[in-house]
Amino acid sequence: VADVRSHLAALLNCIENAVFSPRRHPEIPPRSGLKMTPAEALSFFSQLEGIWRDLALTQFYISGRVQEVAGIQIQSVDLPNQSLLIKDVIMWSRGKRFIELKSCTKNGENRFCHINKTLDVIFQRRLSLKHPGSNYLFHLDGMPLSYRSIQFQYNKALKKCGLIEKFSATHFLRHSMATITRRVTGSLEHTQAVTGHKDQKMVQHYADLPSNMQIEAVSQVERFMDHLISSVRASNCEQKF
């Protein structure tokens, strides 16, 4: 029995050590940029297509970790109440491939995010593309996304918009939403509500819907980004004439 327990412990340890936490390749120089400006974020989104653009916008507006977004289950999307439950996360191997879906976030707590107009359109589109037998909102032919495929698409978009030297991996969208929220609202409390940090008193821990502050913050950022898009389009039209 002791030998069996020892072997099981060793096996669990190997599995735990194999779980992927993003690391930089030693040949790639570190990039200091963690926070995009609003203009940089729009440029990045414009270079993504299809599921990858939907994924990135979702990660941005919920200020989420990429494993949280990739792990969203269809039953966690509540369109009538404009609420998204974040509780399932994907675990990737060191080879950046899917291992399992885990019903536990990084800080061990579920959180609720407001579904704004942008996310509502995205989620309705993703739900219309539901694959039989799969509960993943974001999938490729019913299969969960690999970190490698997400990173490849993000890096390709960063390269197209000339930002590859400043940003890498996938976490910059979470940082960017937090920074832009602080800029737009001028409020630390709104920023904390958006990111859902566990150690902040003002973030709801036990509510069953997004807090009013979180809804207000996400909506304000959405209006700001929409206004920026309109301004860019107007400027482009003026230049043509």
Side-chain angles (χ1 to χ4, degrees):
V1 175
D3 288 341
V4 172
R5 288 179 177 174
S6 177
H7 285 305
L8 285 175
L11 178 61
L12 289 173
N13 185 56
C14 288
I15 293 174
E16 183 178 354
N17 288 335
V19 172
F20 176 71
S21 51
R23 296 180 179 177
R24 261 183 234 290
H25 192 283
E27 296 178 0
I28 300 176
R31 299 162 196 167
S32 58
L34 288 177
K35 306 165 187 175
M36 285 182 162
T37 65
E40 288 174 334
L42 287 182
S43 180
F44 171 69
F45 294 138
S46 71
Q47 298 302 324
L48 292 165
E49 297 180 351
I51 185 175
W52 309 111
R53 188 170 188 272
D54 287 350
L55 184 84
L57 282 167
T58 300
Q59 185 185 355
F60 175 74
Y61 277 118
I62 71 168
S63 190
R65 301 173 178 88
V66 71
Q67 59 266 40
E68 295 173 345
V69 185
I72 294 174
Q73 301 293 286
I74 289 175
Q75 60 267 29
S76 296
V77 179
D78 184 356
L79 290 181
N81 288 312
Q82 297 180 298
S83 175
L84 171 67
L85 172 61
I86 301 297
K87 74 179 186 68
D88 300 296
V89 299
I90 280 185
M91 307 301 290
W92 289 296
S93 68
R94 291 190 185 278
K96 307 180 183 181
R97 297 186 182 279
F98 174 80
I99 295 180
E100 65 174 341
L101 182 70
K102 185 178 179 181
S103 295
C104 181
T105 61
K106 183 176 181 180
N107 63 11
E109 293 189 357
N110 300 341
R111 67 187 178 102
F112 291 86
C113 299
H114 174 57
I115 299 177
N116 59 17
K117 293 178 181 178
T118 300
L119 294 181
D120 185 77
V121 171
I122 289 173
F123 290 172
Q124 289 196 49
R125 177 167 52 247
R126 302 320 311 174
L127 289 171
S128 72
L129 297 172
K130 180 183 183 300
H131 192 278
S134 175
N135 287 321
Y136 286 94
L137 186 68
F138 296 99
H139 63 85
L140 292 176
D141 294 326
M143 299 300 294
L145 304 178
S146 69
Y147 185 85
R148 184 183 299 277
S149 62
I150 298 171
Q151 188 176 42
F152 174 79
Q153 294 294 333
Y154 278 23
N155 283 343
K156 185 168 73 171
L158 288 169
K159 186 174 182 180
K160 285 182 178 179
C161 59
L163 296 173
I164 192 65
E165 298 301 322
K166 292 183 63 176
F167 304 97
S168 64
T170 58
H171 206 59
F172 58 86
L173 287 176
R174 176 171 165 83
H175 288 290
S176 299
M177 177 60 178
T179 302
I180 294 172
T181 299
R182 181 68 185 273
R183 170 180 172 178
V184 171
T185 65
S187 165
L188 179 60
E189 289 81 2
H190 282 81
T191 306
Q192 292 163 340
V194 165
T195 57
H197 285 305
K198 179 180 178 181
D199 59 343
Q200 301 301 334
K201 299 287 187 180
M202 59 286 298
V203 181
Q204 92 283 7
H205 293 306
Y206 307 106
D208 59 357
L209 288 173
S211 68
N212 290 334
M213 189 171 290
Q214 202 263 355
I215 293 172
E216 181 182 349
V218 173
S219 298
Q220 284 190 46
V221 172
E222 182 182 37
R223 289 194 295 271
F224 174 81
M225 298 299 283
D226 286 344
H227 176 73
L228 185 58
I229 291 173
S230 299
S231 299
V232 170
R233 287 175 177 170
S235 176
N236 290 339
C237 289
E238 290 176 0
Q239 290 177 9
K240 289 181 180 179
F241 291 101

